[in-house]
């Protein structure tokens, strides 16, 4: 258990640092109102989690330390949107379309509500 947590922590730290570097790099070339750095991080994180999960599944490494490092740690540190997207893709692939659509709608709406509530309470 401790070893697994260590893999997740190291992966998460590297993902977080890459997220920060992504923001710095994009901000250097993009100064418009659209949050391009977050968009790129989310897109890249989704691509990477798909790549990692596909590779791990193909090589029967779903329960390996590499999964905890790459998927939970690195991708989780880089963007939780990648995990959200992977979970929904799994629901879609399992023919749980209605559940996936509900999860997407509820997550976005409740996320916006929670941010608004947090902003309201903090004022």
């Amino acid at each position: 258990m401790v070893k697994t947590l260590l893999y997740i922590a190291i992966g998460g730290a590297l993902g977080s640092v890459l997220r920060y570097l992504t923001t710095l790099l994009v901000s250097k070339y993009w100064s418009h109102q659209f949050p391009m750095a977050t968009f790129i991080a989310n897109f890249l994180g989704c691509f990477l989690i798909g790549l990692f999960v596909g590779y791990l599944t193909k090589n029967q490494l779903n329960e390996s330390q590499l999964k905890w490092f790459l998927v939970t740690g690195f991708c989780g540190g880089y963007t939780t949107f990648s995990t959200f997207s992977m979970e929904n893709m799994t629901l879609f692939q399992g023919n749980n379309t209605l559940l996936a659509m509900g999860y997407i709608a509820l997550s976005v709406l409740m996320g916006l509500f929670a941010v608004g509530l947090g902003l309201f309470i903090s004022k």
Side-chain angles (χ1 to χ4, degrees):
M1 176 69 153
V2 172
K3 189 175 179 181
T4 299
L5 293 175
L6 187 58
Y7 279 108
I8 293 169
I10 293 169
L14 292 173
S16 296
V17 168
L18 183 60
R19 174 61 183 261
Y20 174 71
L21 293 174
T22 299
T23 300
L24 286 181
L25 181 65
V26 172
S27 297
K28 186 175 180 180
Y29 299 102
W30 182 267
S31 61
H32 302 284
Q33 196 171 14
F34 183 80
M36 185 61 78
T38 300
F39 180 78
I40 289 172
N42 286 338
F43 178 81
L44 185 57
C46 289
F47 171 74
L48 289 174
I49 202 169
L51 194 68
F52 295 154
V53 168
Y55 173 83
L56 294 168
T57 300
K58 184 173 89 172
N59 293 288
Q60 299 177 352
L61 297 168
N62 287 333
E63 297 304 319
S64 69
Q65 298 296 337
L66 193 56
K67 176 193 174 200
W68 300 118
F69 174 77
L70 291 173
V71 176
T72 306
F74 183 79
C75 288
Y78 191 59
T79 171
T80 58
F81 189 77
S82 60
T83 302
F84 171 73
S85 297
M86 187 69 221
E87 289 169 344
N88 278 294
M89 185 58 66
T90 300
L91 289 171
F92 281 124
Q93 289 173 339
N95 293 319
N96 293 307
T97 303
L98 189 59
L99 185 58
M101 297 302 285
Y103 180 40
I104 291 166
L106 194 59
S107 294
V108 171
L109 293 174
M110 291 304 291
L112 291 169
F113 172 76
V115 169
L117 182 61
L119 289 170
F120 175 76
I121 291 172
S122 67
K123 289 182 177 180

